[in-house]
């Protein structure tokens, strides 16, 4: 791997060897066995081998036990881009991946002003909502970042997060405080070093109080990656993101109108050749199978009786 100091590469090699020897990492583990994944855990613990190994081991345990079924089973049961409650979830807490910035990093856009947990929990239980959050977080490292790296032709290990606080106030914050704290904890403990940059836009007048409550939950490394842009953010975002990739609601040109808007499109290189397993994908698969079976029946259908009669008449006349 290029771009890494020699001592970091040596630590990476030892890290991998010890994880395998101690039965913590196995070939094919869904956490990821590539160098970029291991480097994320090393960076999160400043290349302290013992602390990085402890973090990785705890993450593996969490992945096997979360929700009582484990993350792999949860992901198998819920396609992050296609599940029954997806539109309701996005209507009450819009949070989605959408294309990439100029560095090739995937965009993760979150609109806190649209959050309405009371409305959401009438159609989706809090437990189910938390599952969809975890599956969305898993999607970043399992599908989104690898696809972004393939598209860029180089390692892409982080996302560019945009948090829009338009219409978000203290009342909404206190309602969702525990959920936000838990989401930060999951991101920092189990998906370390995946946020390359966070831009907070449209911060309300009460944001100072909100920030003072949130800041203690974050590591100093995470805080250093946060830019508070206020209401004059469009030019800054367009310096970092091509207009064609930025939703028009944030000052760009993208609308994804053909699929109901950018928030539902999931647009990005991670969709190239992707075969989903959610209800819409299954319904589409059923339509294809039905069409094939219908065509097969058409192919083996007995010939029309009138044609048989015509052939018979011709044969009699010829004789």
């Amino acid at each position: 791997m290029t771009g890494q100091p020699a001592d970091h590469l040596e630590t990476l090699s030892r890290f991998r060897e010890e994880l395998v020897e101690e039965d913590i990492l196995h070939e094919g583990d869904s956490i990821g066995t590539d160098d970029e994944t291991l480097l994320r855990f090393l960076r999160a613990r400043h290349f302290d081998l013992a602390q990085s190994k402890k973090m990785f081991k705890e993450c593996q345990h969490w992945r096997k036990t979360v929700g009582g079924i484990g993350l792999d089973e949860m992901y198998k049961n819920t396609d992050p881009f296609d599940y029954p409650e997806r539109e309701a979830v996005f209507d009450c807490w819009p949070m989605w991946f959408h294309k990439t910035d100029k560095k090739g990093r995937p965009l993760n856009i979150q609109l806190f002003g649209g959050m309405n947990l009371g409305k959401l929990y009438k159609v989706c239980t809090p437990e189910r909502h938390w599952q969809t959050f975890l599956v969305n977080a898993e999607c970043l490292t399992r599908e989104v970042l690898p696809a972004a790296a393939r598209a860029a032709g180089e390692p892409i290990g982080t996302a560019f997060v945009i948090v829009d606080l338009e219409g978000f106030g203290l009342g909404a914050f206190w309602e969702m405080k525990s959920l936000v704290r838990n989401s930060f904890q999951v991101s920092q403990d189990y998906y370390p070093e995946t946020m390359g940059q966070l831009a907070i836009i449209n911060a309300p007048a009460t944001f100072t109080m909100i920030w003072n409550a949130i800041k203690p939950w974050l590591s100093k490394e995470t805080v250093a990656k946060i830019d508070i842009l206020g209401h004059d953010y469009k030019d800054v975002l367009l310096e970092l993101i091509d207009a064609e990739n930025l939703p028009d609601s944030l000052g760009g040109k993208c609308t994804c109108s053909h699929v109901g808007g950018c928030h539902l499109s999931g647009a990005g290189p991670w969709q190239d050749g992707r075969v989903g397993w959610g209800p819409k994908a299954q319904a589409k698969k059923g339509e294809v199978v039905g069409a094939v079976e219908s065509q097969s029946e058409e192919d083996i259908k007995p010939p029309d009786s009138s044609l048989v009669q015509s052939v018979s008449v011709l044969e009699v006349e010829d004789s």
Side-chain angles (χ1 to χ4, degrees):
M1 172 174 283
T2 59
Q4 297 294 326
D7 57 334
H8 285 185
L9 290 176
E10 182 180 348
T11 303
L12 172 62
S13 179
R14 288 178 56 201
F15 187 41
R16 179 183 296 280
E17 289 176 5
E18 293 187 16
L19 289 176
V20 172
E21 289 173 358
E22 296 179 28
D23 201 33
I24 300 172
L25 179 66
H26 317 88
E27 185 66 33
D29 279 356
S30 60
I31 190 175
T33 60
D34 56 293
D35 287 347
E36 190 61 37
T37 295
L38 302 191
L39 282 168
R40 287 196 292 103
F41 284 84
L42 286 169
R43 292 189 194 106
R45 293 297 179 263
H46 306 289
F47 284 82
D48 182 309
L49 195 58
Q51 290 301 314
S52 299
K53 190 163 55 177
K54 179 176 181 291
M55 185 184 197
F56 199 95
K57 184 176 182 178
E58 290 173 349
C59 182
Q60 285 284 58
H61 175 74
W62 174 80
R63 293 177 66 86
K64 292 175 182 177
T65 59
V66 63
I69 59 175
L71 199 55
D72 288 342
E73 189 67 20
M74 195 179 294
Y75 206 80
K76 178 181 176 182
N77 295 338
T78 303
D79 182 335
F81 295 101
D82 178 14
Y83 55 90
E85 307 90 348
R86 189 168 184 258
E87 290 192 23
V89 169
F90 280 29
D91 182 47
C92 298
W93 187 2
M95 179 172 61
W96 71 93
F97 295 111
H98 185 270
K99 301 187 177 179
T100 60
D101 68 3
K102 292 181 179 180
K103 293 182 178 180
R105 299 177 300 185
L107 303 178
N108 180 228
I109 301 170
Q110 306 183 27
L111 309 185
F112 275 34
M115 180 170 286
N116 188 334
L117 295 182
K119 178 181 177 182
L120 175 60
Y121 292 161
K122 291 179 180 178
V123 296
C124 175
T125 68
E127 293 77 16
R128 176 57 177 160
H129 179 220
W130 184 241
Q131 280 189 350
T132 67
F133 169 80
L134 295 179
V135 166
N136 190 70
E138 175 70 4
C139 177
L140 175 62
T141 54
R142 189 181 289 227
E143 296 191 57
V144 173
L145 287 174
R150 288 193 297 271
E154 61 182 9
I156 300 291
T158 62
F160 183 177
V161 182
I162 301 173
V163 174
D164 187 352
L165 296 182
E166 182 71 40
F168 185 73
L170 275 175
F173 172 70
W174 292 120
E175 177 188 9
M176 59 172 285
K177 179 182 176 182
S178 295
L179 187 60
V180 172
R181 183 175 61 244
N182 291 339
S183 66
F184 279 139
Q185 181 179 356
V186 165
S187 297
Q188 291 186 146
D189 292 351
Y190 307 127
Y191 300 95
E193 297 295 310
T194 54
M195 187 187 76
Q197 185 173 358
L198 190 156
I200 297 175
I201 63 175
N202 292 318
T206 56
F207 180 71
T208 299
M209 296 178 64
I210 296 173
W211 179 242
N212 287 337
I214 292 176
K215 194 173 179 180
W217 305 340
L218 307 175
S219 67
K220 62 181 181 180
E221 291 81 8
T222 297
V223 171
K225 300 174 183 177
I226 298 176
D227 297 312
I228 301 173
L229 302 180
H231 296 281
D232 299 324
Y233 62 85
K234 294 183 180 179
D235 289 343
V236 176
L237 291 184
L238 287 172
E239 287 180 4
L240 302 169
I241 306 164
D242 289 328
E244 292 74 17
N245 288 358
L246 186 67
D248 62 348
S249 59
L250 299 178
K253 296 180 179 179
C254 189
T255 62
C256 293
S257 57
H258 61 295
V259 288
C262 295
H263 68 299
L264 293 176
S265 72
W270 41 90
Q271 294 291 356
D272 296 343
R274 186 179 191 272
V275 178
W277 59 93
K280 292 181 180 178
Q282 292 299 320
K284 187 175 181 180
K285 181 180 179 181
E287 292 174 1
V288 171
V289 171
V292 170
E293 290 177 347
S294 176
Q295 182 61 48
S296 298
E297 291 174 359
E298 185 70 25
D299 291 341
I300 64 175
K301 187 172 67 176
D304 188 86
S305 60
S306 62
L307 292 176
V308 174
Q309 292 173 358
S310 297
V311 172
S312 299
V313 169
L314 290 173
E315 289 176 344
V316 169
E317 291 178 350
D318 289 343
S319 61

